[in-house]
Structure formats: C-alpha cells, structure tokens
Amino acid sequence: MIRILATAIAVLFGIATLFAGGRVLLGSDPGYVVFRPLLVYNVLMGLAYVAAGIIFWRSARAGRNAAAAIFLLNLAVLLAILVLYRTGGDVAVDSLRAMTLRTVAWLLLCVAMSWVGRSRAAPTSG
C-alpha cells in the first residue's frame, strides 16, 4: 500500500510541477518574481518526479535511490536559493516555501521507499 501511495504522490507531484512550471514558462504570471533558473530546474525535475514514480513501482531499492538523489538535488538547490535570497537576489519567498515543500516531500518519499525495501527484505516466520 505504501509503495502504491508513494508512486501516486511522485507521479502526481511531477505532473503538477510540470503543469505549474510550464504555465509560467509559457507566460502566465504567478504573482511574484520568477527566478528563471529555478523555474527551469523545477520543470526538469517534474520529469524526474514522474520517472521516479515509475521507478518506485518497479523496484523499492531503485526507488529509494531515485528519491534520495532527488531529495539531495532539491536540498542543494534550496540552500543555493536561500543564500541568494539572503544576499538580496531575485528569489521570492514563495519560491523558498515551494522548494522547502519539494525537499521535505522527497525526504519523506525516500524514507517511505526505504521502509518498503526493508519490509520486503525482512525474513518471514512460518
């Protein structure tokens, strides 16, 4: 059940990211300053989120690795935009909040997929 839920969350999160980022790339105004490199990163990661969801479905171990990689990439980007924000760069606080959400979500997905992998590898008594 956890694997199915993690797969659905990853794929839906990816589709939502692609949709939201794609709209802004096509000219929609989100209502705050857009830091274009972050926007492009997020759209590309939307594809990675969907791919990771597919990987979750196929292999718990590979899914955990995919989620860990995405978490670490998002964490690095979050730290980079936090530095930019604190030094007066053109990064909106909304971007920081959204990147924090993405980072936490992928940490939780990594933990979930680690748990799925452990529970499948646990010996059964019988």
Side-chain angles (χ1 to χ4, degrees):
M1 182 67 177
I2 290 175
R3 179 187 235 154
I4 294 168
L5 185 60
T7 297
I9 289 169
V11 170
L12 292 173
F13 203 47
I15 290 168
T17 299
L18 287 166
F19 180 73
R23 281 185 40 222
V24 176
L25 282 174
L26 293 173
S28 178
D29 181 9
Y32 53 85
V33 175
V34 174
F35 183 57
R36 192 154 180 89
L38 179 61
L39 175 62
V40 171
Y41 169 81
N42 283 329
V43 170
L44 293 173
M45 290 308 290
L47 295 171
Y49 298 170
V50 172
I54 294 166
I55 292 168
F56 287 4
W57 185 254
R58 294 179 171 211
S59 167
R61 188 160 99 188
R64 180 204 63 219
N65 293 342
I70 290 170
F71 163 70
L72 291 172
L73 286 168
N74 283 350
L75 181 61
V77 169
L78 174 60
L79 294 173
I81 65 169
L82 180 61
V83 168
L84 284 171
Y85 177 79
R86 295 255 171 128
T87 59
D90 274 342
V91 176
V93 72
D94 294 316
S95 295
L96 286 170
R97 289 180 187 135
M99 202 65 222
T100 299
L101 172 68
R102 288 179 178 94
T103 304
V104 170
W106 282 94
L107 173 61
L108 294 175
L109 286 168
C110 182
V111 169
M113 290 310 294
S114 294
W115 188 83
V116 167
R118 274 193 222 110
S119 67
R120 298 190 117 226
T124 57
S125 59

